[in-house]
Amino acid sequence: QVQLVESGGGLVQAGGSLRLSCAASGRTFSNNAMGWFRQAPGKEREFVASINWNGGSTYYADSVKGRFTISRDNAKNTVYLQTSSLKPEDTAVYYCAASIRGWISGQYDYWGQGTQVTVSS
């Protein structure tokens, strides 16, 4: 089992930035690929970014490429999503997810409860 707790969301003006954190406990964190997803009101959940077990590989949705950066600190069992140049369309609940099947699989097994990010225009 893996427990995930997100933090760092909030209200920010367009053009601003936030750093989201996801603290993991349970199964050895460094074995898991990690991802960030988001869900806006009335829309389906969508992929944002992912990172492999040691941080050597990352992947981003086109909509956030160049503005968001995913990273991890295995010593702290934490994955981060640094956001910048935020836009109103980035407004969503952001979820952290863990994969025991590996980064390449793109499949995620454990999910956090989410943190709200609201970007005002």
Side-chain angles (χ1 to χ4, degrees), residues 8-47:
L11 174 64
V12 63
Q13 289 188 332
S17 61
L18 287 172
R19 188 175 82 155
L20 308 184
S21 299
C22 173
S25 61
R27 190 178 183 271
T28 303
F29 175 75
S30 59
N31 290 346
N32 301 330
M34 300 296 296
W36 285 95
F37 292 75
R38 67 187 181 185
Q39 187 167 19
K43 295 187 177 181
E44 293 188 354
R45 185 170 59 194
E46 65 174 358
F47 168 81

Side-chain angles (χ1 to χ4, degrees), residues 3-101:
Q3 293 78 43
L4 303 171
V5 179
E6 302 95 336
S7 61
L11 174 64
V12 63
Q13 289 188 332
S17 61
L18 287 172
R19 188 175 82 155
L20 308 184
S21 299
C22 173
S25 61
R27 190 178 183 271
T28 303
F29 175 75
S30 59
N31 290 346
N32 301 330
M34 300 296 296
W36 285 95
F37 292 75
R38 67 187 181 185
Q39 187 167 19
K43 295 187 177 181
E44 293 188 354
R45 185 170 59 194
E46 65 174 358
F47 168 81
V48 175
S50 64
I51 189 167
N52 76 331
W53 69 277
N54 67 355
S57 296
T58 57
Y59 185 70
Y60 297 91
D62 288 344
S63 59
V64 306
K65 201 172 295 182
R67 300 188 298 121
F68 291 10
T69 301
I70 188 171
S71 62
R72 67 189 297 161
D73 185 340
N74 286 347
K76 295 182 178 179
N77 289 355
T78 302
V79 63
Y80 305 97
L81 185 68
Q82 178 68 53
T83 70
S84 63
S85 302
L86 284 163
K87 305 174 183 180
E89 52 263 44
D90 293 318
T91 295
V93 178
Y94 283 70
Y95 297 92
C96 171
S99 173
I100 63 173
R101 288 175 271 185

